[in-house]
Amino acid sequence: MKASHAHPRLVVIGNGMAGMRTVEELLKLAPDMYRITVFGAEPHGNYNRILLSPVLAGEKTVDDIMLNTREWYDANGITLHAGDPVVRIDRKKRVVHAASGLAVPYDRLLIATGSKPFIVPVPGHQLPGVIGFRDISDVDTMLAAARAGGKAVVIGGGLLGLEAANGLLRQGMEVAVVHVMGSLMNQQLDPPAAELLRASLELRGLRILLNRQTVAIEGTDRVASVRFEDGETVDADLVVMAAGVRPNVELAKAAGLHCERAIVVDDTLQTYDPRVYAVGECVQHRRATFGLVAPIWDQARVAAAHLAGSGHRRYVQQATATKLKVTGVDLYSAGDIVGGEGSEDLVLRDRRSGIYKRLVVAGNRLTGAVLYGDVADGPWYFDLIQQRTDISSIRDQLLFGRAHSDDVAAQAA
Amino acid sequence: MELSAQFPIASTTVRTTCPYCGVGCGVNAKVGQDGALAIAGDTAHPASQGRLCVKGSALGETLGNHGRLLSPMLREEGALRAATWDEALDKVAQGFARVIAEHGPDAVALYVSGQLLTEDYYVANKFMKGYVGSANIDTNSRLCMSSAVAGHKRAFGEDVVPGSYEDFELADLVVLVGSNAAWCHPTLYQRIARAKQERPEMKVVVIDPRRTATCDIADLHLPVKPGTDVWLFDGLLAHLAEHAADDGFIDAHTTGLADALDAAGKAGSLADVAKACRLDPHDLERFYELFAQTEKVVTAFTMGVNQSTAGADKVNAIINCHLITGRIGRPGMGPFSLTGQPNAMGGREVGGLANMLAAHMDLDDAAQRAALQEFWGSPHVADKPGLKAVDLFRAIEDGKIKAVWIMATNPLVSLPDADQARRALEKCELVVASDIVLGTDTNEAAHVLLPALGWGEKDGTVTNSERCISRQRAFLAAPGSARADWDIMCDVARRMGFEGFAFKGPHEIFDEHARLSGWKNGTEGQRRRVFDITGLAGMTRADYDALEPVQWPVRTPAERTARVFGDGHFAHGDGRARFVPTVPRAPAHLPGGEYPLVLNTGRVRDQWHTMTRTGRSQKLAEHIPEPYIDMHPQDALLSGVKAGELARVTSDWGAVVARVQHGGGIARGSVFMPIHWSGQTASDARVGTVVNPAVDPVSGEPEFKHTPVRIEPFGVTWYGFILSRTDLPLREAANWTRVQGKDFVRYELAGRKPFANAAVWARGLLDVHDDDADWIEVEDKNGGMYRAVHLVDGRIEACLFVAQRADLPARAWLASMFGKEQLEPADRMSLLAGRAKEPAFDAGPTVCSCFGVGRKTIEIAIRRDNLCDAAAVTACTKAGGNCGSCIPEIRSLLAEAQAQAAEA
């Protein structure tokens, strides 16, 4: 179809999941409202970043994880400039400038530049063989390294680091996970669950090094080892940095948009410039930044609504749930698992079967859940958390899962 | 039960007699090849005609060597050690001899039991009264039958029950006074119920403060105010004097009517009596008229009458009414004392009580004393009454009695003011206990334990409530080194240098007993004694073994006596019966002030005495697993206690704790507690500690049925239960009850102390100290919920459930998991949940113990097939099809269902 000049222009910076989901939502609401141009730094169509781990683990191929092919862009009259990153935003003239020199004017601008791995700035961090775990090229690098065999060190014992480590292990490398904290996935797990996880990962052959402060990455022409505070070193042919991410805000900052840790947006995902919206890992909403996909889908829905002019939606932060994508490790974490003033714990332990469950209750509401070994009821708990269901009547049965609690409900009825 | 540990000595069916209540049912016992014991009713036994109650049917479950006392034991530095018979018996013989030498014969005592066989009883009595030379031998029959004995002796001149069970069937009116026969004499109750079914015109009146299961067949229930029976029967006597006096009989065969009527007059008019008894005057009048108009009337009475400070008077007040109408000793009529224990009457025949001599001879009759001493050729014969149970234990505490030998009874549980009994035994120099089990409250205070034979092992005779002597026969070999009580006593007697204890077997003892009964009986100016079984003398061992049940007197081998006194000739010297004046008087201790309620105690259907035997059966545990306080909801409200929660019952003498329930059968002002729980089965439910020690001035029987008490909440911070394959020491719980289960023991718990670390606390409680043990748990600290299950080799070993409120999961499903040899992984979560994922059907509390049919099962069957009578329920659910003792409960379920249907 032909875009007519009457149509306002929407430029999207970032061909990732957040930006494209916003576009999809927008197309649902207002198919022909904008002439849409998309700039992407990566030379691909748009793919599901979350599934990079299975790709690395060899459980999926790159094709499996593609979301939108070039055909899709054409079919929807979207101009895609893949592999041509935007370098400057001129808000006065309302034009974006790409690396190629290409300049595209906009009526509305959507920034979805995402984030980049945090490369710990230790001596040697720029040596070849030190990479993050963010995109397909990182995966390619890792797979190449894995083919050569040898040792890999993953810095960061969070969700991403463990998935990377597992992938490399599956690809036949000797893998050590280095974590600065005392327990793995400390964002999502309490110590008992983390301990069960550690045990089962070590059983699979991962080496887990906790409480290790990395002070240097050593090697002459390429990485050879990693050194810790206490002087201990571990050999490494490959170092994967998975110690968190940093939102990509340089472009926005340079354009004079208000940023703190990330681009600050309001409940409509609008930046301080009314013509400019931002979604995804590059935004900061009420002091929170985002790494998981669920909230980003919400943001996309809201941003799209406002771009479409039917601006009634508000973005509300929701509890989130995590599942570690390591085959054979059943782990589920939802909501606020730390708890706080007045929060109460319900705990189930079955060491012999490697099952651990902890539910956090505040008032008569379920606010958090950590499940290990048996995650079947995870979604149910997550639903109770999000629906803010009053659980006082089933509190005693809650830990035994839906089946038992339904009985109770049934009996109560 | 694993009989495996016990060896059958007979491969054929052995005919014996039930060891529980005084009905004395015949039991056929057969040990199969597999060692399993088959128990069935003996259709040839006149007392039961093949019927057995739940307890009788479950006799097999109470055997087995677990928990048995298998060897003599001596206590040294507080600890028991196994000893040889020689050691133990020498200690007893020398101990008794020393005390007698230093302090005289009255410084020793025997305290025996209606559980003993007549032969044991005879030897005990001969030993004390003839050779030690003291009458300090009393028995737990003092606690149940002595008022009846006193009443009989005062009225008839001898302790004789005139009638037979068949009179209950022949009667046109059966009056049950202070008797919950449906639960306490079930097979006899069934006979009455069947008779009433066949002859609906037959009337049944129940006089009882509680509306018990027995009221199920009652045409009229008089919920008499506790302790006012004498008013009621004095009133009846006055009424009968006007409307139904048999002047011919009175003139020819009685004396003392005038005085009796004077005394009865003190009860006042019918209105006064109704007021005193807190009864509806019209109901009372109806009863009086019914009694007056009905020739064939049996008045059966038991503990509600006997266990009172006016017990003997109550008995005589009843007997008076039968004397004035001449209704005694003839078919279908007479006063009828129902015996509590299997051989209380046998004990009375041999003089088991401190105030009588053997063979119904009188202690205060010099001629009979002389005759007895001559017959025995003994060095002495006691010439003054010994101390009765309560006084006997007081004398022990006062140090007057320094050595006591307790046989087949558990006084620390069964006596009133039971803590006094404990204090007494703690002070006593030498406490000897003969018992069949090791762990009893009394044995804990004993210095010497002697292993006796239990039912199925011992061999001898018992006499039931209708004077029927029948054999208890052995079909199991003695476990360990246990010996018969008579044999143990004879051994001690010989060691003390006494002649006349060289019996070779129970048949020789019985023969001596039989010969004594005829000795100078009515000859040489002696009183004619009704108790005469000369006809049974001279039997060989074979004759004795073949002895068929027979009712005394048996003066000649062929004689059988269904009834006595029918000829109007009584046992007093002048042959006349006595009207005994019974001036109404209130119980010793009246409610009010600090103690506004009256505690009544009694038995429950499926337990016997202190549960040393019935407590071993899981089937019997299901009917009523826990001690309870039955009370009126209004009183509960006023006392601030709730059904299902724990409450403390306090009297001037002690306190107990149990769960409150509203059975619906109890009037305001009264509460009821069962007598069965001891320190072995519950932490604080030994009801004897609360019961007042006041006794009847004539019979010395304590007032178990009337103790003023106060009820208050027993505050706990948590409730819980444990199911465990092994017994556990429960230090942590403020209150616990032990319930026998199949393959496991169940403890109901409640506690005050909050536990900081539940897991550590629980592992301590369940005695699990291996960190790698298969231990699963759930905890809700703030919710006060904790549950743990300990598994071993994939099967449940123990589980613990704790919660802030008493609303814990049903025990039934968890219990069933103890039967599972291998649990599925899926079961693990269900274990903690306390039930199957697809919730297994919970049949509710067991109603029919025989077939294990639960309340809900029956209720559902009733509603689904809208059943309208018990027979239909039985046809449908089997419930009530065996022993039938649950039929009253089934009826009440039917009634409830109909009531609900009516409302709907």
Side-chain angles (χ1 to χ4, degrees), chain A residues 343-353 355 357 374 395-397 399-401 403-405 407-408 411, chain B residues 771-783 785 787 805 828-830 832-833 835-839:
Chain A
S343 77
E344 306 175 352
D345 285 356
L346 278 57
V347 186
L348 180 150
R349 301 184 195 83
D350 181 350
R351 238 174 92 201
R352 188 66 62 94
S353 340
I355 293 176
K357 302 182 181 188
D374 170 10
R395 178 170 177 145
D396 281 0
Q397 299 297 319
L399 276 166
F400 310 124
H404 280 292
S405 303
D407 304 344
V408 178
Q411 286 170 357
Chain B
D771 289 348
D772 299 331
D774 190 355
W775 178 272
I776 60 183
E777 62 187 353
V778 287
E779 181 174 13
D780 176 353
K781 244 197 179 65
N782 310 67
M785 180 264 256
R787 300 173 180 185
R805 277 167 290 111
R828 297 168 74 92
M829 195 63 58
S830 299
L832 288 173
R835 53 210 177 82
K837 248 196 170 64
E838 291 72 25

Side-chain angles (χ1 to χ4, degrees), chain B residues 283-417:
Chain B
D283 288 348
L284 189 61
E285 190 167 20
R286 216 177 114 210
F287 167 60
Y288 284 179
E289 281 166 1
L290 192 60
F291 194 105
Q293 292 157 7
T294 314
E295 171 75 1
K296 289 187 170 180
V297 48
V298 169
T299 308
F301 57 91
T302 174
M303 297 315 141
V305 165
N306 297 346
Q307 293 180 328
S308 158
T309 49
D313 280 3
K314 288 181 181 179
V315 172
N316 286 108
I318 290 168
I319 295 173
N320 285 348
C321 295
H322 281 269
L323 290 177
I324 197 171
T325 49
R327 299 170 186 162
I328 189 162
R330 289 182 287 138
M333 59 185 77
F336 206 113
S337 157
L338 293 177
T339 313
Q341 299 189 78
N343 198 34
M345 193 182 281
R348 285 140 62 182
E349 291 158 12
V350 298
L353 294 160
N355 54 335
M356 43 166 55
L357 293 178
H360 284 195
M361 295 183 176
D362 288 324
L363 215 152
D364 43 22
D365 180 331
Q368 292 193 334
R369 285 206 304 273
L372 178 59
Q373 186 170 7
E374 181 187 353
F375 179 85
W376 276 342
S378 59
H380 318 274
V381 69
D383 55 3
K384 60 178 193 309
L387 293 168
K388 305 187 177 97
V390 172
D391 296 336
L392 188 131
F393 278 81
R394 287 206 179 109
I396 295 174
E397 189 179 14
D398 298 344
K400 296 198 189 80
I401 291 175
K402 300 180 179 307
V404 62
W405 187 351
I406 298 163
M407 291 175 212
T409 185
N410 198 355
L412 263 56
V413 182
S414 51
L415 279 175
D417 191 9

